[in-house]
Amino acid sequence: MTEVLDLPRRQADSGEPLPPFAFGGVGAVTALGTLALLASIGRYGFFGDELYFVAAGRRLVVSYADQGPLLPAIARTMDLLAPDSLTALRLPAVFVTVAAVVVTAQIAREFGGGRAAQVLAAAAYATSPFLLVQGDQLATNTIDTALWVVVSWLVVRWVRTRRDGLLVAAALVTAVDMQVKWLIPFFWIALATGVVIYGPRELLRRPALWCGAVVVVLTAAPSLVWQAAHGWPQLRMGGAVAAEQATIGGRYAWLPVALAAAGLLGGLLLVYGMWTLLRTEAWRPYRFLGLLSIVLSVAFVATNGRPYYAAGCYGVLIAAGAVRWTENRRRARTIVTVPLLALSVALVVFSLPLRAESDIEPVDTQAQAGLEIALYGRFGWSELAAGTAAAYRALPEPERASAVVITDSYWQASALDIDRAVYGLPAVYSPNRGFGYFGTPPDTATTVLWVGGAEADVRAHCAEVTAAGQIEARLGYPGVTRGVTIWHCAQPRAPWSRAWPDMLRLN
């Protein structure tokens, strides 16, 4: 037993050969996870953010107000390869998610875990209602989470081998992730905090690490220049996120939601892995990793970030927990693991978007929809486009010639922009999020169909405002595709070129 418990230390200190990789078991888990995602990625419709990625991809720039350019570039690529294909758009998300399952198993192997530990780590990741299920749609967090797992693996492997090329590789992955969103610096700050306290402090003295940091800064420079020129909107996104989080509990709900995201088996191994890293002497070479979730939790609670922001560190903690859990082969642990795994599988199946649309109940408020935003954010786009097109066709011919569409939400603008040719709509604009930076309505636009928003807000910009239509999708998102008024706006109070900069908003 002593030899087994010392295995992580021996792996780190001597660089001895790793246990064989569990191709069969991990492959089976990965295959099942892939099948689950492939069965669900074509369900319902595009999620609102996916529509935005496609719209942004048709306007590729080095940065956007609310994210980096990688997701729009991926969306543009898939849109060119398979136009309007929901399944094709989501395939990259499936790929990176199942890759994260395999890499989590590899982390367990780096820790010295045998086949059982590797399969358990992969199964825990693949049965998380967030870590796996997020792979059924293209989203920034899907790519970001997977890249954090890869960086974790490279760092753990460096501790074992001291091969500095791994630090360069970690920097390259970090550079890619900086083109998704700016969360990966939090990971490195949390990791450096643990290294300063517990070691190995030589990590911070490695030239390869700092050369890699230079690469990250250089590759991020175009985005930084764009952000500086536009007033750093990506940094100001924190306030918008905090406002959205307030509708679902804010800071008080952060930790419970973050733990729930790991799932049943994943949550158990995550906590056990953190305890193992911080308290077990044989794991001292990797103790710095035990602080990851603690430092990240403090940082994201303090900044009122989303609970899933820290999910990228779950892979390494789950892997540590799986190795430690399988070191002691007591029957009691098997008795706990088997039913927990079965319940976790059932939870994932329940979390996948497999229900018939007729079985889904509509909701009337954004607070209700926000609790299941990934579900309700996929409905109502055709109703939105059809209703807007009907209002546009009802305009007198002289007004149609100078009309534009302005939407309250960037989701609405993205959906209408993508389907403009299909529905015969004029140019679409929105002051919301990144869409507001795509262009300003021309000053010649004296007639506007304003989709959504309160009448008082519309009147602040137009002298004449009347209701021109109503959008009512049964399963739509309230305020976006359900209970939405289309306003006929005439006689703008100021030229759009002058009014637009003050109208831009991130929330």
Side-chain angles (χ1 to χ4, degrees):
M1 178 62 68
T2 301
E3 181 178 359
V4 175
L5 292 178
D6 284 344
L7 208 152
R9 169 176 282 174
R10 292 193 293 108
Q11 290 290 340
D13 292 347
S14 67
E16 66 180 48
L18 294 175
F21 186 65
F23 286 103
V26 173
V29 171
T30 303
L32 290 173
T34 303
L35 287 174
L37 291 175
L38 291 177
S40 62
I41 60 173
R43 300 287 292 172
Y44 313 140
F46 291 92
F47 183 64
D49 280 352
E50 291 175 316
L51 294 169
Y52 173 59
F53 298 147
V54 174
R58 295 177 181 180
R59 303 167 173 86
L60 282 175
V61 290
V62 297
S63 187
Y64 296 86
D66 44 8
Q67 63 179 312
L70 183 58
L71 267 292
I74 292 173
R76 180 58 175 162
T77 301
M78 304 313 293
D79 189 37
L80 290 172
L81 293 174
D84 303 319
S85 172
L86 181 62
T87 298
L89 181 71
R90 291 173 173 172
L91 283 176
V94 174
F95 174 78
V96 299
T97 299
V98 297
V101 173
V102 176
V103 175
T104 299
Q106 284 282 11
I107 296 174
R109 182 171 176 248
E110 288 292 335
F111 284 143
R115 289 184 172 87
Q118 296 168 37
V119 173
L120 184 61
Y125 196 103
T127 56
S128 159
F130 177 80
L131 296 175
L132 181 79
V133 176
Q134 69 174 343
D136 75 352
Q137 71 179 45
L138 185 65
T140 53
N141 53 277
T142 306
I143 308 299
D144 183 59
T145 299
L147 293 177
W148 280 38
V149 175
V150 175
V151 172
S152 300
W153 169 57
L154 293 169
V155 171
V156 169
R157 189 169 175 82
W158 178 86
V159 173
R160 185 179 67 83
T161 66
R162 294 304 197 267
R163 295 174 185 169
D164 285 352
L166 295 165
L167 298 180
V168 176
L172 294 177
V173 177
T174 299
V176 173
D177 200 14
M178 285 291 288
Q179 305 304 314
V180 179
K181 56 170 60 176
W182 291 353
L183 289 182
I184 190 72
F186 285 96
F187 171 90
W188 282 104
I189 291 170
L191 187 143
T193 300
V195 168
V196 168
I197 295 174
Y198 295 117
R201 296 183 181 89
E202 66 176 284
L203 171 64
L204 302 179
R205 297 192 295 268
R206 294 287 191 171
L209 179 71
W210 298 106
C211 288
V214 172
V215 171
V216 172
V217 172
L218 289 177
T219 56
S223 178
L224 294 172
V225 171
W226 189 96
Q227 290 289 325
H230 292 81
W232 300 99
Q234 194 166 165
L235 294 181
R236 291 188 282 111
M237 272 295 298
V241 169
E244 293 175 359
Q245 288 302 111
T247 64
I248 56 172
R251 291 185 175 92
Y252 298 103
W254 196 96
L255 187 58
V257 174
L259 285 174
L264 298 176
L265 181 59
L268 170 67
L269 294 181
L270 187 153
V271 173
Y272 194 55
M274 185 171 65
W275 176 263
T276 294
L277 289 164
L278 292 175
R279 303 296 297 173
T280 305
E281 184 60 29
W283 288 76
R284 179 174 287 277
Y286 303 103
R287 183 159 292 175
F288 67 99
L289 295 168
L291 282 182
L292 267 179
S293 62
I294 297 174
V295 175
L296 289 169
S297 295
V298 171
F300 292 136
V301 169
T303 57
N304 220 347
R306 304 190 197 279
Y308 58 72
Y309 280 0
C313 77
Y314 289 4
V316 68
L317 299 177
I318 286 172
V323 173
R324 179 64 171 166
W325 187 263
T326 55
E327 285 174 352
N328 191 338
R329 301 178 180 229
R330 291 179 181 173
R331 184 178 176 186
R333 295 199 173 179
T334 302
I335 292 174
V336 171
T337 303
V338 172
L340 202 57
L341 179 59
L343 288 172
S344 297
V345 171
L347 180 60
V348 164
V349 172
F350 176 79
S351 301
L352 289 167
L354 300 176
R355 285 181 288 170
E357 289 187 28
S358 58
D359 295 334
I360 301 173
E361 293 296 325
V363 293
D364 297 320
T365 68
Q366 287 196 354
Q368 292 173 308
L371 296 174
E372 293 187 80
I373 189 172
L375 174 65
Y376 290 102
R378 303 186 187 200
F379 294 105
W381 307 119
S382 59
E383 291 90 340
L384 175 72
T388 305
Y392 177 65
R393 289 193 298 269
L395 292 174
E397 177 60 32
E399 290 192 48
R400 284 206 300 272
S402 63
V404 298
V405 174
I406 296 179
T407 70
D408 180 65
S409 163
Y410 73 106
W411 281 7
Q412 296 166 328
S414 301
L416 296 177
D417 181 74
I418 290 170
D419 285 337
R420 272 184 63 198
V422 175
Y423 289 91
L425 291 170
V428 180
Y429 303 88
S430 176
N432 186 220
R433 288 281 172 94
F435 211 99
Y437 295 80
F438 291 168
T440 303
D443 290 339
T444 55
T446 55
T447 297
V448 171
L449 287 179
W450 201 297
V451 181
E455 182 177 357
D457 294 334
V458 181
R459 287 191 180 279
H461 302 289
C462 298
E464 294 183 6
V465 177
T466 56
Q470 189 77 13
I471 308 296
E472 284 293 352
R474 190 184 80 86
L475 293 177
Y477 198 93
V480 178
T481 54
R482 177 177 169 81
V484 176
T485 301
I486 300 175
W487 305 100
H488 176 261
C489 169
Q491 297 184 19
R493 297 185 183 277
W496 296 113
S497 58
R498 193 169 74 231
W500 198 253
D502 293 330
M503 293 170 60
L504 297 179
R505 56 185 176 81
L506 294 173
N507 57 6

